[in-house]
Amino acid sequence: MTHPIDLAVIGGSGLYQFPGLTNTSRQRIDTPYGPASGDVVTGDFAGRRIAFLARHGESHSLPPHRVNYRANLWALHHLGARQVVGVNAVGGIRGDMGPRVIVVPDQVIDYTHGRFTSFCDVDGAEVRHIDFSEPYTASLRLALLDAANKAGIAAIDGGCYGATQGPRLETRAEIARMKRDGCDLVGMTGMPEAALARELGLDYACLALVANFAAGCGDEAEISIEEIFAHLKAATEAVPPILAELLKS
């Protein structure tokens, strides 16, 4: 490959284009699993070559349960990516994980249903039982945390991401249950993305951007979508400098 991919980035809500990319090209990848969320944009950033894909589409047209996670991961792998950072908008359950906080989680609980969760979900495919004890690649997690530190950006090390179905937000009772289960964050796109990356042998880590306190965890009687996107916009500004430091290493 003429331009090897040093890092692939999957952008979540609020991150539909990657700022600072130069020498860009767009590719629509045909996959055995149908269309990806959109074109994969490759370009130069911090002296390296990255691939960027907007998980929900560049116009946020795909709700979490309609994202073709298999096609997205397959397309990035097909282009030569071996390391993937998933940027995810989340709600905070733990008290220190409030709006605009950045977290690099280390565990996940999957509450989703009805999604294609494996590349084995195809007739004739080999059935593979991956080890998913640690759902995120430890070396990439630590590199992200180190990069955030070098960029002067606070990031919390560890936490359990609870993945819900969406697109609706959760009830107070559901969040209370998740808290009892040990979840620190709640989001709608963390799974099956992490598991599919593991099946493909990709290094994968999550950069979670807290947009709001989850239901019943903050002072607000009702969660405001406008406030969510305002917090997301502010938190998203930290993504390029963190990834720039990651690529330098």
Side-chain angles (χ1 to χ4, degrees):
M1 185 175 291
T2 306
H3 298 288
I5 302 299
D6 297 301
L7 179 70
V9 180
I10 301 176
S13 296
L15 185 60
Y16 310 116
Q17 291 90 28
F18 194 88
L21 278 187
T22 60
N23 300 320
T24 59
S25 63
R26 305 175 69 93
Q27 297 182 67
R28 183 167 295 274
I29 309 298
D30 294 325
T31 88
Y33 308 97
S37 294
D39 294 347
V40 179
V41 180
T42 56
D44 296 328
F45 178 73
R48 308 296 286 273
R49 194 74 176 169
I50 75 167
F52 176 79
L53 177 62
R55 185 186 290 114
H56 298 284
E58 293 181 358
S59 60
H60 199 101
S61 57
L62 294 169
H65 65 296
R66 297 289 298 276
V67 172
N68 192 338
Y69 297 93
R70 292 190 301 181
N72 288 352
L73 271 298
W74 191 94
L76 295 173
H77 182 266
H78 176 73
L79 285 175
R82 294 298 175 263
Q83 292 192 317
V84 179
V85 172
V87 181
N88 298 78
V90 298
I93 297 175
R94 208 168 84 187
D96 59 342
M97 296 183 180
R100 308 192 182 193
V101 169
I102 295 173
V103 186
V104 183
D106 63 345
Q107 279 296 327
V108 66
I109 298 177
D110 189 3
Y111 299 93
T112 66
H113 52 85
R115 303 183 182 188
F116 289 108
T117 60
S118 171
F119 291 105
C120 301
D121 291 333
V122 178
D123 289 342
E126 176 190 359
V127 178
R128 299 182 59 217
H129 301 282
I130 57 168
D131 177 15
F132 207 52
S133 307
E134 303 294 332
Y136 304 109
T137 304
S139 58
L140 187 54
R141 281 192 65 255
L142 293 175
L144 270 176
L145 290 162
D146 183 59
N149 181 59
K150 289 178 178 175
I153 296 168
I156 294 178
D157 179 3
C160 182
Y161 180 126
T164 59
Q165 182 71 356
R168 68 168 177 84
L169 299 179
E170 302 74 26
T171 68
R172 287 173 179 257
E174 287 169 332
I175 294 298
R177 173 202 174 190
M178 294 176 71
K179 188 173 183 179
R180 291 193 298 270
D181 286 350
C183 294
D184 303 299
L185 300 165
V186 56
M188 303 172 188
T189 54
M191 287 291 287
E193 193 170 276
L196 293 168
R198 181 63 53 83
E199 285 192 2
L200 288 175
L202 297 169
D203 289 339
Y204 179 89
C206 169
L207 194 60
L209 313 179
V210 182
N212 59 284
F213 271 118
C217 296
D219 297 330
E220 302 85 356
E222 185 175 334
I223 298 172
S224 163
I225 299 300
E226 291 75 20
E227 287 186 5
I228 284 178
F229 278 95
H231 292 315
L232 265 184
K233 182 179 179 182
T236 299
E237 291 177 358
V239 174
I242 290 175
L243 296 185
E245 290 294 339
L246 176 69
L247 289 165
K248 290 177 185 177
S249 65

